């Protein structure tokens, strides 16, 4: 029996030639026992008729805010509450842009903005549109906010050009939904503390010492724990990124602030993950006035050591708590990572080596190796940070017997 049985699926269809595959998708969802409510954009109706779709889903297809015949109002709020999942397939570049920026000019986008359930997005478009930075940035933003992007495939496109942009096949989309529903709420009832992002250590009111961390890896972890039922507190250094709304965010600037906030929370959690790229040193003095250039050929800034947040909290760890750290190494780093794990009293450590292209700071991908105190080692391929987060959360779940 499929895990989709009895699930309420809002299927959003937009104006792409791949809309014909939405008929197959509807059929497969219904066959799996799901209840399907279709919401189609005006452009979507140019590609596939609502009559076909309502016959397949056994429900009227929603497209307009009001029904022309009797003035009935279609409530996107009700749909947002009814759904167990929303799937937008195919999703055009235009719809992806509207989703990312909240341009609520049709029923599909308002439904998305009211959605309480997870959202899967299966893009379909021409190869140049697919590769355009507008599209990749919008998809990135949507992924960061916890939406699931079902990557388009390479192949022959409607334009007869060959490249990336074909919507994933309906069977594979169904498999992605099944996969989602078969990972249960294994972290329900667990409390998780995460540190993430860089820290900024002020030199004067306008300058600071910092690093290239974006916070993305820690945010992806926070999203994954929250999705699996954990109560998550994220202590986040300066970052333009934000996690899903269930995550409690405590924004901080400096290492000392990060430590004092973490100290408040750590006693109440079952699990702590230290993903922050903390500045190891801070200027001895933060000048209250902007430093002037005039007459200064050289400037020396005296630095003092910052507290080691992970080591401080690690030294207080109770036997019922599980702590995980990160090690960012410019060399291979295995021995260094193991040393940090012991020294900071972590139960496990995530090693990312800057030697691996596509790993570490300020990129969307990462390549990690996980070690635990019992000698367990797991090495993973280069993946998106969201997929890496899933591997790390799975690894910890296995250790905790969840
Ligand atoms: N960490 C921390 N506070 C610090 C420095 C590091 O909490 N002041 C944490 C990081 O979040 C990470 C782990 O310690 O989980 C290792 O961080 P890393 O920067 O790799 O190591 P350092 O201990 O700073 O050592 P070095 O920079 O010399 O490699």
């Amino acid at each position: 029996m499929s895990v989709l049985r009895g699930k309420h699926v809002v299927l959003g269809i937009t104006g792409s030639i791949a809309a014909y595959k939405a008929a197959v998708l509807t059929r497969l969802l219904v066959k799996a026992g799901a209840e399907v409510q279709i919401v189609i954009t005006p452009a979507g109706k140019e590609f596939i008729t609502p009559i076909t779709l309502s016959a397949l889903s056994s429900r009227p297809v929603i497209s307009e805010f009001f029904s022309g015949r009797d003035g009935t109002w279609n409530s996107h709020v009700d749909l947002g509450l009814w759904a167990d999942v929303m799937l937008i397939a195919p999703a055009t570049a235009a719809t992806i842009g509207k989703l990312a920026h909240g341009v609520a000019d049709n029923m599909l986008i308002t439904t998305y903005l009211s959605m309480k359930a997870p959202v899967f997005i299966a893009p379909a478009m021409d190869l140049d549109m697919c590769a355009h930075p507008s599209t990749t940035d919008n998809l990135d933003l949507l992924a960061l906010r916890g939406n699931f992007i079902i990557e388009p495939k390479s192949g022959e496109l409607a334009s007869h050009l060959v490249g990336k942009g074909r919507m994933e096949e309906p069977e594979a989309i169904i498999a992605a939904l099944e996969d989602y529903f078969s990972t249960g709420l294994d972290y329900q009832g667990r409390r998780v503390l995460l540190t993430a992002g860089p820290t900024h250590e002020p030199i004067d009111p306008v300058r600071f010492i910092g690093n290239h961390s974006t916070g993305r890896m820690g945010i992806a972890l926070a999203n994954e724990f929250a999705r699996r039922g954990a109560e998550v507190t994220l202590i986040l250094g300066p970052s333009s990124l934000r996690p899903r709304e269930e995550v409690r965010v405590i924004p901080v600037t400096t290492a000392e602030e990060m430590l004092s906030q973490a100290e408040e929370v750590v006693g109440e959690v079952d699990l702590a993950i230290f993903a922050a790229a903390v500045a190891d040193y801070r200027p001895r003095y933060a000048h209250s006035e902007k430093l002037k250039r005039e007459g200064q050929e050289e400037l020396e800034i005296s630095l003092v050591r910052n507290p080691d947040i992970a080591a401080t909290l690690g030294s207080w760890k109770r036997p019922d708590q599980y702590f995980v750290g990160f090690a960012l190494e410019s060399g291979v780093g295995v021995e260094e990572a193991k040393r940090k794990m012991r020294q900071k009293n972590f139960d496990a450590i995530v090693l990312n080596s800057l030697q691996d292209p596509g790993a570490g700071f300020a990129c969307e991908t990462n390549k990690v190796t996980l070690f635990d105190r019992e000698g367990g080692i797991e090495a993973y391929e280069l993946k998106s940070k969201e997929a890496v987060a899933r591997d790390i959360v799975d690894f910890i779940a296995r250790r905790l017997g969840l």
Side-chain angles (χ1 to χ4, degrees):
M1 194 163 64
S2 167
V3 284
L4 295 177
R5 187 171 187 82
K7 291 280 184 285
H8 293 173
V9 181
V10 169
L11 173 59
I13 301 173
T14 73
S16 152
I17 189 72
Y20 77 91
K21 292 189 190 170
V24 181
L25 257 175
T26 308
R27 179 79 199 102
L28 291 174
L29 286 167
V30 169
K31 227 169 113 184
E35 286 186 49
V36 183
Q37 175 60 62
I38 292 170
V39 181
I40 193 165
T41 61
K45 288 193 282 188
E46 304 288 330
F47 290 87
I48 186 162
T49 78
I51 296 169
T52 308
L53 297 168
S54 70
L56 287 170
S57 63
S58 310
R59 281 170 175 269
V61 168
I62 298 175
S63 179
E64 312 301 329
F65 293 108
F66 297 96
S67 154
R69 251 185 238 141
D70 57 7
T72 318
W73 182 51
N74 286 317
S75 169
H76 50 92
V77 178
D78 288 350
L79 276 175
L81 294 170
W82 176 82
D84 293 307
V85 65
M86 181 175 191
L87 165 64
I88 305 175
T92 57
T95 289
I96 288 165
K98 289 181 191 178
L99 295 172
H101 299 284
V103 183
D105 66 350
N106 66 47
M107 188 66 195
L108 177 73
I109 312 293
T110 51
T111 303
Y112 167 76
L113 293 178
S114 303
M115 191 49 59
K116 299 285 173 230
V119 179
F120 286 73
I121 299 168
M125 64 197 76
D126 209 45
L127 73 166
D128 295 317
M129 294 174 89
C130 192
H132 197 282
S134 295
T135 309
T136 54
D137 284 357
N138 285 333
L139 281 171
D140 229 35
L141 199 58
L142 290 168
L144 258 168
R145 291 183 187 148
N147 299 282
F148 297 92
I149 311 300
I150 304 176
E151 283 293 314
K153 291 279 163 288
S154 287
E156 189 177 346
L157 304 168
S159 57
H160 302 299
L161 295 171
V162 175
K164 186 175 170 184
R166 272 175 75 92
M167 186 177 86
E168 178 58 286
E169 293 305 326
E171 290 75 11
I173 295 177
I174 299 288
L177 295 185
E178 286 181 333
D179 189 39
Y180 174 83
F181 282 109
S182 48
T183 341
L185 298 174
D186 46 355
Y187 280 88
Q188 192 140 47
R190 308 271 163 166
R191 283 153 305 173
V192 179
L193 163 68
L194 272 144
T195 67
T199 65
H200 286 179
E201 310 296 333
I203 296 170
D204 69 8
V206 294
R207 303 178 180 92
F208 59 84
I209 292 179
N211 57 60
H212 293 300
S213 165
T214 57
R216 184 166 184 149
M217 191 63 246
I219 289 175
L221 278 164
N223 284 343
E224 182 65 12
F225 278 116
R227 166 175 108 72
R228 288 161 71 161
E231 201 182 292
V232 185
T233 302
L234 173 68
I235 304 180
L236 182 62
S239 167
S240 57
L241 311 175
R242 282 292 175 270
R244 316 157 57 110
E245 60 184 354
E246 314 89 275
V247 174
R248 173 177 163 231
V249 181
I250 303 178
V252 294
T253 306
T254 65
E256 287 180 305
E257 283 168 25
M258 189 175 270
L259 175 62
S260 79
Q261 291 294 342
E263 282 174 348
E264 296 282 317
V265 183
V266 73
E268 295 156 20
V269 300
D270 307 295
L271 244 161
I273 319 285
F274 301 98
V278 183
D280 287 325
Y281 296 88
R282 68 175 182 278
R284 183 180 296 278
Y285 309 105
H287 294 264
S288 55
E289 303 285 321
K290 186 183 167 207
L291 290 178
K292 288 288 180 196
R293 187 156 59 107
E294 189 104 331
Q296 293 250 44
E297 266 322 298
E298 283 184 23
L299 174 67
E300 279 186 13
I301 299 174
S302 164
L303 301 177
V304 292
R305 269 275 278 277
N306 258 334
D308 189 320
I309 297 163
T312 309
L313 302 185
S315 69
W316 305 343
K317 181 164 66 86
R318 296 188 310 260
D320 62 315
Q321 292 180 310
Y322 196 90
F323 285 9
V324 181
F326 272 74
L328 178 67
E329 304 297 338
S330 49
V332 180
V334 175
E335 290 315 315
E336 263 301 277
K338 288 185 178 167
R339 181 186 64 74
K340 285 178 188 174
M341 171 163 65
R342 283 190 300 272
Q343 218 167 51
K344 304 195 189 202
N345 202 20
F346 296 146
D347 297 282
I349 195 155
V350 182
L351 165 66
N352 25 169
S353 166
L354 289 174
Q355 275 189 344
D356 291 318
F361 276 180
C363 55
E364 288 139 31
T365 52
N366 205 356
K367 185 169 185 304
V368 301
T369 309
L370 303 182
F371 299 89
D372 70 9
R373 287 287 270 270
E374 279 68 52
I377 304 177
E378 289 183 20
Y380 298 88
E381 296 303 306
L382 184 73
K383 298 179 179 187
S384 72
K385 287 191 170 165
E386 286 71 27
V388 171
R390 197 167 173 174
D391 289 337
I392 295 172
V393 175
D394 283 344
F395 178 91
I396 300 169
R398 284 195 295 278
R399 276 17 186 212
L400 298 179
L402 300 181

